[in-house]
Amino acid sequence: MDLTAHQRSTYETTLRLGFEAPFVTERPPLFSPAAAAQDIANTHGSLSRFAQMLIPTEYAGWVEETTAHVESCYVGDWSSLHKVVVRGRQALGFLGRLGMRNLARFDIGQIKHHVQLDENGWVASEGVLCRLGVEEFVYTAGSCDWLLWQFSQGDWDAEAVDISPDRFIFGIQGPASLHTVEKATGEPLSDIEFSRSRMAQVSGVPVRVLRTGISGELGYELHGPAEHANDIWAAIVQSGLQFGIKQLGLRSQPVQHIEAGIATNGLDYLPAAILSPGAPRQFRRGVPTGSFVPTNGVTDYFRKPDELGWGFRKGVPERDFLGRDALVKDARDGGPGRTLMGLVWDKRDVAGVLTSLLEEDEAPDQMEIPRGRGPHFDQVLRNGTPIGVATGRTISANLRQTISLCVIEQASAAPGTEVTVLWGGPGTPQREIRATVTALPFKPDRRRTDVTSL
């Protein structure tokens, strides 16, 4: 059995059996298609799960890896992301109805952030939509199950095909990313503008080069056939050596999103799709941690697009899309009333939690470093009154700060506002940590760097 057939067979088995099946014996692990090339540098021998796939936890160390996208560049593996091709005469019509963004102007090779809502206006799924041809698109997200379920509910003159095990996705982000990818492809790539893509070759293998910005820095992605993933990964590493490239493990992957002010589905909010047959099958079911206690059930973990910075600047448009009526009602009622901001946590208060195990008093919940691995929600207070929810707490080696995102009431959202984060789950020795509201992103946005002069 060749690599692609093996990947697809294992992928389909994990989907069919689900996370309830015994690990390995009845639910075989799915490794990255680049696992052999990655294992060379994985001296710790540690693997972590991202969706159904196991990838290295750490290579050189999390501090070195989380600073690479600022100082040089990294290569990271996002092959575990769900990928679905939608093609056919009504493919564009279906995607335009499913997502809140206008797709009327959508060039071949262009990339758009595709935010998909449920009928209540909650974010159900969000990811990257790339136009491959006149009637062909690929949607990439943590989970595409919401898209697949919605597609099955209509009678569209199109098809939606899950290509997840057949394709790899490698991210190369940082100031040296262009030079690294150009050396690997052997051709200039400065013609690729931000949120655009085109085909190129690495080691004779056709790959799609996308200019993206998940790190908030200049960056690219390579999408290509799984059977060549090992060779492509090795070629990128080799091409980047002279530029100081680092290989990025799963432990460090989510830190850059917080620095860039990007909320991550399943970590900083829960998708409304979990209440439907379109719920993500790739991720374990679990209970969020943290001090925040929902009063309205699971929907308190959901978010409206306005709360994540994805709303409309000029009001809800007239065109039809799923969830539009709910957004119109929200706007008529004054909007959600909360906005996404950043928090900088007080260093002394954070240090008190980190060193609490060295004291005699009962220790509070500890902080995973650099960031927690699952959804974590903390109550934010101002003068003792709840005014928001903090997520994504991470230690940033680039900023030398502990930072987080925060969905916060508009009245308390001004940069410089002093607030308190309640740290520790209910029933534990909780600590109040002082924090300051700040604008996002936490560091300059360099995604649209002019590369013509580099």
Side-chain angles (χ1 to χ4, degrees):
M1 183 183 295
D2 63 25
L3 175 61
T4 301
H6 177 73
Q7 289 286 113
R8 177 160 286 280
S9 173
T10 307
Y11 174 79
E12 291 176 348
T13 300
T14 57
L15 282 182
R16 185 178 70 255
L17 296 178
F19 282 101
E20 300 305 318
F23 188 59
V24 178
T25 55
E26 295 182 30
R27 186 184 184 281
L30 179 64
F31 294 93
S32 167
Q38 294 168 353
D39 191 56
I40 297 171
N42 185 15
T43 56
H44 298 284
S46 176
L47 298 169
S48 296
R49 180 184 290 137
F50 180 4
Q52 294 125 316
M53 189 172 287
L54 295 176
I55 63 175
T57 306
E58 194 170 13
Y59 291 94
W62 72 266
V63 174
E64 190 172 313
E65 292 174 29
T66 58
T67 55
H69 65 285
V70 174
E71 298 176 354
S72 53
C73 70
Y74 68 68
V75 55
D77 192 346
W78 275 265
S79 300
S80 50
L81 290 175
H82 205 176
K83 318 166 200 68
V84 168
V85 166
V86 183
R87 61 170 73 93
R89 187 176 65 86
Q90 292 185 316
L92 181 61
F94 163 70
L95 293 166
R97 161 71 177 147
L98 181 65
M100 60 182 286
R101 296 300 177 196
N102 190 350
L103 302 184
R105 297 180 180 179
F106 199 174
D107 298 331
I108 293 175
Q110 190 174 1
I111 305 161
K112 287 183 179 284
H113 184 209
H114 204 240
V115 180
Q116 303 165 13
L117 311 179
D118 71 355
E119 63 277 7
N120 299 307
W122 303 111
V123 176
S125 179
E126 60 87 19
V128 170
L129 185 66
C130 182
R131 189 166 198 169
L132 305 180
V134 175
E135 296 183 345
E136 185 173 11
F137 307 81
V138 62
Y139 177 62
T140 304
S143 171
C144 300
D145 286 306
W146 174 260
L147 179 149
L148 290 169
W149 179 60
Q150 288 292 332
F151 184 83
S152 72
Q153 301 306 294
D155 184 19
W156 301 94
D157 185 10
E159 64 174 352
V161 181
D162 187 345
I163 61 168
S164 299
D166 308 327
R167 312 292 290 175
F168 68 75
I169 297 179
F170 298 152
I172 303 93
Q173 299 275 318
S177 59
L178 175 62
H179 299 318
T180 296
V181 180
E182 284 186 331
K183 185 174 181 180
T185 60
E187 63 176 283
L189 300 171
S190 59
D191 60 299
I192 304 178
E193 299 177 353
F194 180 67
S195 289
R196 301 279 172 162
S197 72
R198 68 169 173 83
M199 296 300 295
Q201 288 193 354
V202 176
S203 302
V205 178
V207 296
R208 179 168 290 276
V209 182
L210 301 82
R211 184 171 171 187
T212 61
I214 60 171
S215 65
E217 302 287 338
L218 172 65
Y220 298 83
E221 289 181 11
L222 297 185
H223 294 204
E227 62 265 31
H228 297 289
N230 282 302
D231 292 339
I232 303 300
W233 182 275
I236 292 297
V237 172
Q238 184 62 36
S239 297
L241 287 179
Q242 72 179 91
F243 308 114
I245 195 170
K246 304 299 179 185
Q247 296 179 71
L248 187 74
L250 184 61
R251 183 180 184 186
S252 299
Q253 275 190 10
V255 173
Q256 60 190 316
H257 298 166
I258 302 304
E259 294 176 342
I262 300 173
T264 302
N265 192 337
L267 290 179
D268 298 301
Y269 67 96
L270 299 187
I274 62 176
L275 299 181
S276 76
R281 294 174 292 169
Q282 296 80 9
F283 297 93
R284 282 182 179 271
R285 304 294 189 268
V287 177
T289 58
S291 64
F292 174 72
V293 178
T295 57
N296 300 301
V298 69
T299 60
D300 280 353
Y301 297 113
F302 297 171
R303 297 290 181 263
K304 297 293 179 75
D306 277 340
E307 295 178 303
L308 299 176
W310 301 335
F312 298 106
R313 296 180 180 178
K314 298 181 180 180
V316 182
E318 291 297 327
R319 59 183 178 78
D320 183 44
F321 60 88
L322 184 61
R324 180 186 180 278
D325 291 345
L327 295 190
V328 170
K329 182 179 183 302
D330 285 345
R332 189 167 56 242
D333 295 341
R338 301 189 304 185
T339 188
L340 186 70
M341 298 295 291
L343 293 181
V344 176
W345 296 31
D346 184 84
K347 292 182 178 181
R348 290 170 295 179
D349 291 349
V350 170
V353 173
L354 296 177
T355 60
S356 61
L357 289 177
L358 304 178
E359 306 296 335
E360 296 298 327
D361 295 334
E362 188 177 1
D365 291 346
Q366 292 301 292
M367 294 180 176
E368 290 189 72
I369 298 177
R371 178 179 173 173
R373 291 169 288 179
H376 183 98
F377 299 79
D378 285 321
Q379 186 71 69
V380 178
L381 309 169
R382 186 180 184 190
N383 300 322
T385 301
I387 46 90
V389 181
T391 61
R393 179 218 56 87
T394 187
I395 292 180
S396 169
N398 291 301
L399 302 172
R400 295 295 198 269
Q401 296 279 4
T402 298
I403 59 176
S404 73
L405 303 180
C406 180
V407 175
I408 191 170
E409 293 179 358
Q410 297 281 1
S412 299
T417 301
E418 299 293 330
V419 299
T420 299
V421 180
L422 186 62
W423 177 261
T428 69
Q430 294 178 320
R431 296 279 183 97
E432 290 190 355
I433 299 180
R434 292 165 292 176
T436 304
V437 177
T438 187
L440 294 174
F442 286 99
K443 59 182 182 59
D445 184 351
R446 300 185 179 92
R447 296 175 297 169
R448 293 172 175 81
T449 296
D450 182 1
V451 299
T452 57
S453 59
L454 294 181

